[in-house]
Amino acid sequence: MLYLGCHLSASGGNCAMVQTALTLDANTFAFFTRNPRGSSAKQLDVADCEKAMAMLQENAFGPLVAHGAYTMNLCTARDKDRAFAAEILKDDVYRMGFLPGNFYNFHPGSHVGQGMETGIRQIADALCYALEQDAPVTVLLETMAGKGSEVGSHFEELRAIMDLVGSDKLGVCMDTCHVHDAGYDIVNDLDGVLAEFDNIIGLDRLCALHLNDSKNPYASHKDRHACIGQGSLGLQTFRNIVNHPKLKGKPMILETPNDLPEYKTEIALLRQLASE
Ligand code: FE
Ligand code: FE
Ligand code: ZN
C-alpha cells in the first residue's frame, strides 16, 4: 500500500483533517501537535479523537505522522528550558495516546555547543522520561540536515539515542531533503543509503518518510525544502522511493512549500510515478 499525505492545519480538529485529506486523495497526513513555533497546545478533544480514529479506519488510512514543535529542543543548554522541553514531549506523547497506533515525529534537537555526546544523552533522558507513561504511540526521531549543531544528521547519532533509551516505542522518520543535505546520496545510490541505514539502525525501525526535494546541493547541510522534482533530488529519485520494495507500506508525508491545491497535485504525481 502506498500511503501518501501532506502537512495539514490542526486548527479545525482531527476529523476536519481527515476530511481535508480525503479531498486530496491522501491516505495519511501530518499535523503539528501544538503551535509549531511556540509551545501552546489546543484543549484535548477526546470525542474528536475517537471519531477521527473511526474515520481513518473506514477509509483505510495508514498511520498518521504528527510533528512536534520546532521550538522543542531537548538538548538546549539551560536546565530550566531543557526540563520545559521534556515536559512538552511528555504531554505530546500523552495526547497522541488518544490517537493510538499512530506516529509522533520530532527533531531530536541542537546541542548548541554542548557537544554531540552531551546532546545525545540529554535527548535520550527526555525520551526515557516521556516514554515512562507507556502510551500507545511510536515516537520517531527525524533525520536532520546537520545545520548548526543539529543532532541526528548521521544515522549513528540516532542509533546512539535509541540504544540509550532502549525502547521498542522508538523509530525513525527519514526526511529526503535532510538526508540528502546531510550527505547521504539518495539520488545516485538509494539502495546503498538504505543498506547503510539497515546496518546502523535497522530498516524495521524506519517507520515513516518525509518527501521533500531540496533547494540546495548534496551535502550542503542547509535544509530548505523544494517542491517534488524541482530541486536537486529530481523526479527520478522520488520515482525510486515510491516504488522501492523496502519502503513499501511506510507513510510518506509531503512537507513541500505548497498550499492544498498543489499538495493535491503532488500526491497525484507521486501516485502516478508509483503506477508506471
Ligand atoms: Fe521535521
Ligand atoms: Fe521533515
Ligand atoms: Zn526540513
Side-chain angles (χ1 to χ4, degrees):
M1 196 57 180
L2 184 60
Y3 295 121
L4 278 171
C6 60
H7 258 272
L8 297 178
S9 163
S11 62
N14 295 303
C15 292
M17 286 193 285
V18 181
Q19 258 145 7
T20 303
L22 287 168
T23 68
L24 305 175
D25 292 316
N27 51 1
T28 178
F29 57 88
F31 60 95
F32 286 106
T33 48
R34 57 188 72 224
N35 179 347
R37 308 207 172 270
S39 60
S40 58
K42 284 201 332 181
Q43 174 107 31
L44 182 63
D45 184 343
V46 176
D48 177 60
C49 288
E50 285 172 358
K51 193 161 170 235
M53 286 298 292
M55 290 169 74
L56 292 169
Q57 197 173 11
E58 260 166 53
N59 292 285
F61 272 56
L64 309 183
V65 191
H67 200 304
Y70 294 136
T71 46
M72 182 182 78
N73 186 3
L74 301 178
C75 54
T76 193
R78 258 184 80 196
D79 292 351
K80 198 169 145 250
D81 297 341
R82 201 166 58 250
F84 180 68
E87 291 300 338
I88 298 248
L89 176 69
K90 188 170 193 167
D91 186 51
D92 276 354
V93 171
Y94 169 76
R95 289 159 163 274
M96 283 303 294
F98 292 88
L99 296 169
N102 292 297
F103 297 129
Y104 170 81
N105 160 81
F106 73 103
H107 296 183
S110 293
H111 65 68
V112 289
Q114 300 189 94
M116 193 53 79
E117 234 185 271
T118 300
I120 286 170
R121 188 173 39 75
Q122 291 175 343
I123 294 163
D125 285 348
L127 281 164
C128 287
Y129 175 64
L131 292 173
E132 263 174 15
Q133 60 191 313
D134 203 28
V137 52
T138 301
V139 174
L140 309 183
L141 301 160
E142 183 166 346
T143 60
M144 300 310 294
K147 193 174 43 164
S149 64
E150 272 174 356
V151 179
S153 66
H154 298 97
F155 296 157
E156 288 84 352
E157 292 157 15
L158 301 176
R159 173 63 201 251
I161 295 168
M162 295 168 93
D163 281 346
L164 285 171
V165 178
S167 167
D168 56 6
K169 293 264 180 64
L170 204 49
V172 174
C173 174
M174 184 186 281
D175 185 307
T176 57
C177 167
H178 297 177
V179 287
H180 163 267
D181 285 18
Y184 291 100
D185 191 2
I186 55 171
V187 175
N188 300 298
D189 189 16
L190 177 61
D191 282 335
V193 173
L194 292 178
E196 191 173 347
F197 187 99
D198 198 27
N199 283 334
I200 297 168
I201 299 176
L203 274 175
D204 55 325
R205 307 301 283 268
L206 179 59
C207 298
L209 287 96
H210 285 169
L211 299 188
N212 303 305
D213 213 320
S214 173
K215 289 196 171 152
N216 288 291
Y218 173 68
S220 59
H221 304 290
K222 283 280 210 282
D223 185 6
R224 291 202 50 217
H225 303 182
C227 294
I228 299 301
Q230 295 176 27
S232 38
L233 271 64
L235 213 52
Q236 183 59 42
T237 301
F238 292 98
R239 185 182 282 114
N240 296 340
I241 288 170
V242 294
N243 287 297
H244 203 289
K246 290 190 167 153
L247 302 177
K248 239 193 173 104
K250 302 187 195 286
M252 299 181 181
I253 306 291
L254 290 161
E255 299 179 305
T256 43
N258 282 323
D259 291 323
L260 292 180
E262 295 85 49
Y263 271 140
K264 184 171 181 167
T265 307
E266 274 189 346
I267 288 167
L269 168 69
L270 289 161
R271 292 204 186 282
Q272 172 64 34
L273 292 178
S275 69
E276 276 169 5

